[in-house]
């Protein structure tokens, strides 16, 4: 058969598939089904092409992953989650603290990590405020303060119109010095943060009435993934000050946090999956949050498809590799 | 003397003081003060970074080096951001505030630089944010390409690594759950998501801990060498 | 300039303007400064796509984005450092009039002239910019290195060495024996699954121990020690596999974040 | 009744109201809820601080122990230097342990305390504690074990460095990856293709870069002998200078300094991705037979290793950054894992400082291994057969290896 025949055959098969989908599925599922067909059909085509022609251009692979991620964003697939023990531990900690406790949330990340950890930061902030805890927001990254201000005004506080700045929450922002900042606040807040971001002296802020240092805080949650970040909180505040620390981390560093669990950190939220689990637990426990935006859960659709594509890539790549090796041996 | 002895002395003094202050309670305050000094000098390091940038790009511009046109982009962007940041330029609903130039509300000088409506914050939202996050998003493409072309089960070690990665990648998605839903509840550890959890909690924890202990000891011995002046590579000198 | 370059440039400019107009008109009913908003969103989308164009090949749009980023972010850190640390932590300790000018509260303990030290050291650090006085920047550098070394020495020893050891004290036999049947049939991750729990403890204990053997350089890896280091490397490989999986997961999330921006904030498809 | 209780709770922070203002009492409830005072109030100096804190403990009021909700809170009063009592704090009842830490005190003042149990409209004060001043301690004895361990680990590093300087031979085991280095260079020679050496993207102040340069020394000696071409693109100008020195010295040692040229080691740009693009370009153009990726790598590790794989080169990777190691292991033929990079460097250079540190750290690891075995065995025996003595060992060991 010539090349033209193949194209003709392909076109016929495509028409049949399209017709079948249109007939079998309801209208709102068409997008999802087609995008799945596109991705999996593409994978089969890639396998065949790799087996016969070997060379596949890098840019085709790039295009592939773009489609695999973009399609489920346009046509969402949603799943339910079950919080794992490491995530549940953080949720329970915040849940079981008596209302009115002080929680410190540190936004130690930059835009590069934000898609992964911003959802958890938002969910945990909401949880604390809903539970009636007093929240101290801060950041060890300059870019973190900018993200913090943005998410406070655009997302977090929108659901809590009657929370008062300085009484229910306070934003003390960023200070330069990485672990140096932590080394001071573990014994003295005021020395490092004389004011909050709006230049209100700390002594005029009600939350700090009985909080002199990070040791007096009931729970610390560091959300980040770089240096300085969760690890520094454990080393410079959690361990020396004997404070409970929980961490929300970008997936890249999540495995490195496990040696600290559960003695030095009480729980770990790892990557977007951790965020999704937390969001799910939050929605489950609080009907108020039923309509809450859940970026973490939303991201699990594209995430799943992309994982499958990457796994298929590794399998296909290794098939080619072992075939090549066998041929070379012969 | 000034080039070598004094830096070595400063290093030894500060390092020793910070270590000792952990064990001697009355010295805690001193330790805090020195840490504050460090934090303030860290800001001067940012200034140094900015200064270096300006110097390098002016140099490129003067010598008309390759791609010198882009140096103009960097310089303009730098000075623009610096101006709006240091002057705290903001405009909310058409009202301008530049407190340092006496325009608008003078109390705005106390406002946070990242407050809503400040140009500094807007530039962050619409320039830094997309640029930085996209730079890292590129890596998704490279991961995909590498998984197709480079990650091979070449030997026993690489095979083991890829197998573990497989379980984690599947286990961290709902798809992994669907694959092994048929496994009875009493053998639930064999369900892929639970296997992923077990890998994280047991072998991963053990391996990471071994690495952690190794690196921790490395940091400790490095710090000690620095404080005692044995390690001088930071001075740009030969070691030993 | 080549003709194709000009065409590409023109297309980009046209698309940019088009997006600006459309975006501005879409935002008009809601926001006051819709023209500026429209421009900003379009510009952010342009920058996103400019960086992504690197995947095709290195090109002027990517270089523009990269250089823009370098300039803006350097200034960003400088400004943040100035306002948060210099203004709030340094100035009130050195001058009351400046503190009043910047409207920051004065220190309860008054001025502290001791704090001229970091200023002097900071200025010495900036001497690095001059071609001749560069050597004096070694002083502040020594201060920075000394502080880091002093802080790290104890903290790493405590959290990454000492505490890790005591966290590895795990029981290697079960506490209550309930018979072989329940022991083998309940493979659960929770506390009731005794076999799994026991297995986990053994893996943690042996994993840490053999991992340390692998990184032990004073003894040849032969005999029992060699076996230990073999087991160690296997555990390490599983560890790296886990890291690998998590890294892939993380990278994908970042891409999802960017594409969500393009489809949501910019194109408003979702 | 509950609503009144609630009101009373609300008013609680406005201390004194219930007592001083009879009208207020009337409004709330006419029946006075009498409670017994707390007993055994003890004030002790907080150990190992700079003299600014006193810890209070007390036995709760008998009414609090019997009836839940009768005692609403405990009020802490402080008397400074025979002055009047000041209210310091309200401690909620029913949640935590019955204790309070009074901070920010002065060493030259004398303090005395009493604690009052508070019901909805009654306050029952305890007896006062004996007057005292907070004490300052010069040594934090809680941290004596930390001090000792720091001393042992630090001391052994120093000891071995000194020993190595005196010329004592220190044994370091063979590193498997190092043999691969010679092989890989040999292969490039056979194929008549160049070698690419990438020293990471950090500057000379990173130990990993230094280790990479030590290995470069070994690689370039072999190269100079075989007369193979080498390319070394760097992203820091200092690294370029150091790299040139290293390669030049190797060529001189091999007796052919004329073969060396500065073009072998070049600087591209400090920008991470700009550098990656440049190195990728070199790889695709020159098609090296062997690629060394040694040093501090970040996200670019993946891109470089992938391109190297694509051109079919033998790759030897090595970094101490745990996040990047997986990619090297999966994509390279040999990888120096973490500390192996430093060990390789120490092994090759024989430098006293590197060798000594390595040995000193080994002492630390030996301590860790022994402690882990003892601890695990003790806890196992203790839990399985409930041996008191073993429990004691575990408690003691955990105390030694604690984060305090």
């Amino acid at each position: 058969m010539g090349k033209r025949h193949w194209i003709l055959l392909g076109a016929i098969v495509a028409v049949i598939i399209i017709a079948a989908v249109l007939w079998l599925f309801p209208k709102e599922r068409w997008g999802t089904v087609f995008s799945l067909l596109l991705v999996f059909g593409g994978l089969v085509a890639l396998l065949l092409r790799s087996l016969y022609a070997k060379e596949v251009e890098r840019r085709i692979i790039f295009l592939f992953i773009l489609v695999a991620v973009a399609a489920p964003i346009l046509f969402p697939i949603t799943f339910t989650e079950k919080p794992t023990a490491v995530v549940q531990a953080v949720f329970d900690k915040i849940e079981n603290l008596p209302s009115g406790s002080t929680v410190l949330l540190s936004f130690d990340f930059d835009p590069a990590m934000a898609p992964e950890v911003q959802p958890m930061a938002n969910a945990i902030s909401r949880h604390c405020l809903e539970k009636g805890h007093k929240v101290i927001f801060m950041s060890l990254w300059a870019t973190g303060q900018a993200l913090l201000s943005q998410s406070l005004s655009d997302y977090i506080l929108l659901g809590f119109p009657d929370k008062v700045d300085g009484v229910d929450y306070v934003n003390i922002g960023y200070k330069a010095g990485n672990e140096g900042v932590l080394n001071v606040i573990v014994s003295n807040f005021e020395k490092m943060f004389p004011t909050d971001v709006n230049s209100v002296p700390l002594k005029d802020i009600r939350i700090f009435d009985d909080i002199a240092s990070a040791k007096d805080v009931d729970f610390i949650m560091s959300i980040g993934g770089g240096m300085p970040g969760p690890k520094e909180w454990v080393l410079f505040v959690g361990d020396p000050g004997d404070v409970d620390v929980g961490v929300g981390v970008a997936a890249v560093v999540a495995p490195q946090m496990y040696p600290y669990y559960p003695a030095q950190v009480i729980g770990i939220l790892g990557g977007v999956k951790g965020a999704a689990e937390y969001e799910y637990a939050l929605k489950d426990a609080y009907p108020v949050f039923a309509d809450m935006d859940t970026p973490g859960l939303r991201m699990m659709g594209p995430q799943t498809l992309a994982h499958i594509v990457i796994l298929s890539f590794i399998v296909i790549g290794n098939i080619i590799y072992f075939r090549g090796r066998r041929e070379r041996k012969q | 003397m000034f080039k070598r002895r004094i830096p070595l002395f400063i290093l030894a003094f500060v390092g020793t003081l910070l270590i000792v202050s952990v064990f001697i309670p009355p010295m805690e305050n001193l330790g805090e003060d020195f840490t504050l000094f460090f934090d303030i000098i860290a800001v001067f390091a940012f200034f140094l970074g900015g200064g270096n940038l300006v110097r390098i790009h002016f140099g490129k511009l003067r010598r008309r080096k390759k791609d010198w046109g882009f140096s103009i982009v960097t310089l303009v962007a730098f000075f623009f951001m610096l101006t709006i940041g240091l002057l705290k330029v903001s405009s909310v609903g058409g009202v301008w505030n530049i407190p340092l130039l006496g325009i608008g509300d003078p109390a705005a000088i106390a406002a946070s630089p990242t407050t809503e409506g400040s140009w500094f914050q807007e530039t962050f939202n619409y320039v830094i944010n997309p640029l930085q996050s996209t730079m890292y998003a590129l890596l998704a493409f490279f991961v995909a390409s590498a998984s197709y072309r480079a990650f091979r089960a070449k030997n026993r070690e690489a095979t083991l690594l890829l197998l573990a990665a497989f379980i984690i990648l599947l286990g961290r998605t709902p798809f992994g759950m669907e694959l092994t839903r048929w496994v009875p509840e009493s053998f639930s550890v064999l369900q892929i998501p639970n296997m992923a959890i077990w890998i994280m909690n047991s072998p991963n924890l053990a391996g990471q801990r071994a690495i952690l202990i190794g690196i921790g000891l490395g940091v400790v011995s490095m710090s000690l060498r620095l404080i005692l002046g044995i390690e001088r590579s930071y001075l740009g000198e030969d070691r030993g | 300039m080549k003709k194709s370059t000009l065409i590409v440039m023109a297309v980009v400019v046209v698309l940019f303007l088009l997006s600006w107009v459309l975006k501005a008109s879409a935002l008009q009913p809601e926001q006051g400064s819709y023209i500026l908003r429209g421009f900003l969103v379009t510009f952010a989308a342009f920058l996103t796509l400019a960086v992504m164009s690197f995947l095709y090949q290195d090109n002027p749009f990517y270089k523009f984005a990269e250089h823009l980023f370098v300039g803006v972010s350097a200034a960003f850190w400088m400004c943040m450092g100035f306002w948060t640390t210099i203004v709030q932590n340094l100035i009130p300790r050195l001058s009351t009039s400046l503190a009043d000018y910047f409207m920051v509260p004065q220190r309860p303990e008054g001025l502290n002239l001791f704090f001229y030290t970091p200023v002097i050291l900071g200025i010495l650090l900036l001497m690095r910019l001059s071609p001749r006085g560069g050597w004096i920047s070694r002083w502040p550098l020594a201060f920075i290195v000394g502080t880091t070394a002093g802080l790290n020495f104890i903290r790493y020893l405590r959290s990454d060495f000492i505490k890790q050891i005591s966290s590895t004290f795990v029981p290697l036999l079960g506490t209550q024996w309930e018979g072989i049947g329940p022991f083998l049939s309940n493979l659960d991750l929770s506390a009731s699954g005794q076999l799994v729990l026991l297995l986990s403890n053994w893996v943690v204990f042996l994993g840490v121990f053999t991992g340390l053997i692998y990184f032990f350089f004073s003894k040849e890896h032969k005999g029992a020690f060699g076996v230990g280091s073999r087991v160690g490397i296997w555990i390490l490989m599983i560890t790296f596999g886990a890291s690998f999986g998590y890294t892939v997961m993380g990278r994908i999330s970042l891409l999802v974040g960017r594409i969500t921006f393009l489809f949501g904030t910019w194109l408003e498809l979702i | 009744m509950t609503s009144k209780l609630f009101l009373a709770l609300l008013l609680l922070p406005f201390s004194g109201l219930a007592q001083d203002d009879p009208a207020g009492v009337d409004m709330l409830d006419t029946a006075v809820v009498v409670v017994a005072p707390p007993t055994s109030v003890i004030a002790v100096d907080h150990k190992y601080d700079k003299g600014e804190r006193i810890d209070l403990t007390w036995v709760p009021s008998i009414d609090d122990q019997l009836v839940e909700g009768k005692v609403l809170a405990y009020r802490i009063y402080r008397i400074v230097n025979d002055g009047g009592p000041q209210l310091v704090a309200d401690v909620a009842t029913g949640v935590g342990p019955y204790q309070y830490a009074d901070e920010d005190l002065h060493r030259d003042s004398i303090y005395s305390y009493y604690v009052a149990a508070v019901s909805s409209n009654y306050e029952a004060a305890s007896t006062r504690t004996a007057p005292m001043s907070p004490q300052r301690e010069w040594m934090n004895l809680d941290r004596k074990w930390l001090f000792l361990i720091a001393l042992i680990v630090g001391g052994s590093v120093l000891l071995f460095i000194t020993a190595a300087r005196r010329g004592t031979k220190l044994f370091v085991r063979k590193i498997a990856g190092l043999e691969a280095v010679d092989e890989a260079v040999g292969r490039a020679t056979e194929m008549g293709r160049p070698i690419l050496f990438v020293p990471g993207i950090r500057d000379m102040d990173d130990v990993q870069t230094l280790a990479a340069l030590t290995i470069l020394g070994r690689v370039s000696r072999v190269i100079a002998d075989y007369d193979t071409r080498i390319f070394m693109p760097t992203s820091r100008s200092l690294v370029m200078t150091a790299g040139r020195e290293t390669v030049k010295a190797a060529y001189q040692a091999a007796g052919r300094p004329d073969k060396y040229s500065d073009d072998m080691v070049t600087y591209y740009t400090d920008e991470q991705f700009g550098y990656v693009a440049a190195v990728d370009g070199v790889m695709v153009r020159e098609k090296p037979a062997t690629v060394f990726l040694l040093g501090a790598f970040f996200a670019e590790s993946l891109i470089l290793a992938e391109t190297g794989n694509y051109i079919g080169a033998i790759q030897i990777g090595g970094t101490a950054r745990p996040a990047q190691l997986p990619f090297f292991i999966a994509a390279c033929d040999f990888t120096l894992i973490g500390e192996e990079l430093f060990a390789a460097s120490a092994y090759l250079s024989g430098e006293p400082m590197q060798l000594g540190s390595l040995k000193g750290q080994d002492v630390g690891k030996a301590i860790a291994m022994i402690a882990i075995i003892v601890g695990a065995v003790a806890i196992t025996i203790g839990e399985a057969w409930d041996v008191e003595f073993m429990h004691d060992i575990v408690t003691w060991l955990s105390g030694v290896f604690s984060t305090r």
Side-chain angles (χ1 to χ4, degrees), chain D residues 30 50 73 86 90 94 136 164 182 190 201 214 220 227 232 243 255 257 277 280 285 290 296 341 346-347 349:
Chain D
T30 36
K50 52 197 178 200
Q86 314 161 334
D90 280 319
R136 170 165 75 181
D182 292 352
E190 275 168 32
I201 62 161
T214 312
S220 43
D227 200 15
M232 178 174 165
D280 263 8
R285 266 197 319 275
T290 305
L341 179 64
Y347 180 82
S349 69

Side-chain angles (χ1 to χ4, degrees), chain D residues 46-385:
Chain D
H46 186 72
K47 272 283 167 241
Y48 311 130
D49 66 348
K50 52 197 178 200
E52 42 153 36
R53 177 169 162 182
I54 290 177
D55 293 329
L56 286 174
T57 53
W58 61 92
V59 174
S61 153
I62 188 80
D63 291 303
D64 195 13
Q65 295 170 34
L66 295 176
V67 189
E68 199 180 326
K70 198 169 177 188
V71 173
L72 299 174
Y74 292 96
R75 264 181 207 160
I76 319 285
Y77 289 93
R78 169 173 67 195
I79 297 126
V80 188
N81 296 340
D82 306 323
Q86 314 161 334
L87 175 69
V88 191
D90 280 319
V91 178
T93 175
V95 272
Y98 295 95
Q99 62 183 46
Y100 179 76
D102 196 19
E103 293 186 66
D104 291 327
L105 307 177
H106 298 282
R107 273 181 298 126
D108 37 9
S109 303
I110 300 164
Y111 300 89
S112 163
Y113 294 86
Y114 65 91
V115 180
V118 185
S119 74
S120 55
N121 51 13
Y122 184 78
E123 235 185 79
S126 70
T127 48
R128 291 189 185 183
T129 61
M132 65 178 299
S133 295
Q135 297 295 310
R136 170 165 75 181
E137 286 84 11
W138 283 100
M139 271 299 281
N140 187 339
L141 290 181
D142 268 350
R143 293 182 173 156
K144 57 178 184 282
W145 290 114
L146 180 65
F147 185 75
L148 198 70
I149 293 171
L151 214 61
I152 294 175
V153 173
S156 42
V157 169
L158 282 186
L159 203 75
F160 278 109
I161 292 180
T162 334
R165 278 193 176 159
R166 288 225 194 88
T168 315
K169 263 242 162 286
L170 295 179
F171 172 79
V172 170
R173 75 169 162 87
K174 257 197 295 220
I175 315 286
L178 274 182
E179 283 153 34
V181 169
D182 292 352
E183 255 173 58
V185 177
R187 196 180 97 112
T189 317
E190 275 168 32
M191 295 173 75
R193 280 175 24 196
I195 285 169
L196 184 77
F197 193 100
V198 184
I201 62 161
R202 280 289 197 86
D203 214 331
M204 291 298 290
D205 56 354
D206 194 303
V207 209
Q208 300 177 62
T209 315
L210 296 172
L213 285 173
T214 312
I215 298 174
L216 173 72
R218 161 70 158 253
V219 171
S220 43
R221 269 199 296 281
V222 185
I223 289 169
D225 284 341
Y226 289 135
D227 200 15
T228 316
R229 277 182 305 150
I230 185 171
F231 289 102
M232 178 174 165
T234 65
S235 82
R236 306 280 157 165
S237 44
L238 274 180
V239 179
M240 176 190 73
T241 321
R244 282 183 176 166
E245 291 300 321
T246 312
V247 180
K248 203 181 198 168
Y251 272 87
Q252 270 160 354
R256 38 176 84 165
D258 51 308
K259 294 273 182 188
Y260 167 78
S261 113
D262 271 354
D263 296 341
M264 293 172 170
V265 186
T266 44
Y267 163 83
Y268 284 96
T269 166
D270 273 35
E271 286 315 311
Q272 187 183 14
F273 283 98
Y275 176 68
V276 172
V279 177
D280 263 8
V282 174
M283 279 197 198
V284 175
R285 266 197 319 275
E286 305 289 345
K287 295 234 173 353
T290 305
V291 175
F292 290 95
L293 303 165
L294 300 169
F297 288 88
F298 293 77
E300 69 283 354
S301 67
L302 173 75
I303 310 174
L304 293 175
E306 193 239 345
T307 316
N309 216 292
Y310 174 62
I311 57 166
I314 282 214
Q315 301 200 85
I316 297 181
T319 182
R321 294 187 48 81
Q324 306 306 332
L325 272 170
F327 296 121
F328 276 174
I329 294 166
C332 294
D333 299 80
F334 290 98
T335 311
L336 293 170
I337 300 168
E339 286 179 83
E340 276 186 313
L341 179 64
F342 304 131
S345 163
Y347 180 82
L348 285 180
S349 69
E351 231 183 81
M353 189 173 70
Q354 292 189 26
L355 277 175
S357 306
L358 203 65
K359 299 293 271 191
Q361 283 159 242
D362 270 1
V363 172
K365 281 171 208 157
I367 294 175
M369 286 194 262
I370 294 167
I372 286 171
I373 290 192
V374 174
V377 167
I379 202 169
T380 304
I381 297 175
E383 285 208 358
W385 291 282

Side-chain angles (χ1 to χ4, degrees), chain B residues 90-113:
Chain B
S90 72
S91 65
V92 184
V95 182
W96 284 75
N97 277 321
I98 312 178
L100 282 176
L101 298 182
I103 299 170
D105 183 9
I109 200 167
S112 150

Side-chain angles (χ1 to χ4, degrees), chain A residues 295-316:
Chain A
L297 282 169
R298 255 194 297 125
M299 280 168 82
M300 281 318 285
Q303 195 80 41
T304 305
L305 199 56
H307 281 197
I308 294 170
V309 168
I310 298 255
L311 288 175
S312 313
F313 280 172
I314 297 180
V315 172
I316 295 175

Side-chain angles (χ1 to χ4, degrees), chain A residues 7-30:
Chain A
I7 295 174
L8 197 68
L9 189 70
I12 293 172
V13 171
V15 169
I16 293 173
I17 291 176
I18 291 172
V21 170
L22 295 183
W23 186 56
L24 282 173
F25 291 92
K27 203 174 170 184
E28 59 273 14
R29 303 299 292 276
W30 287 355

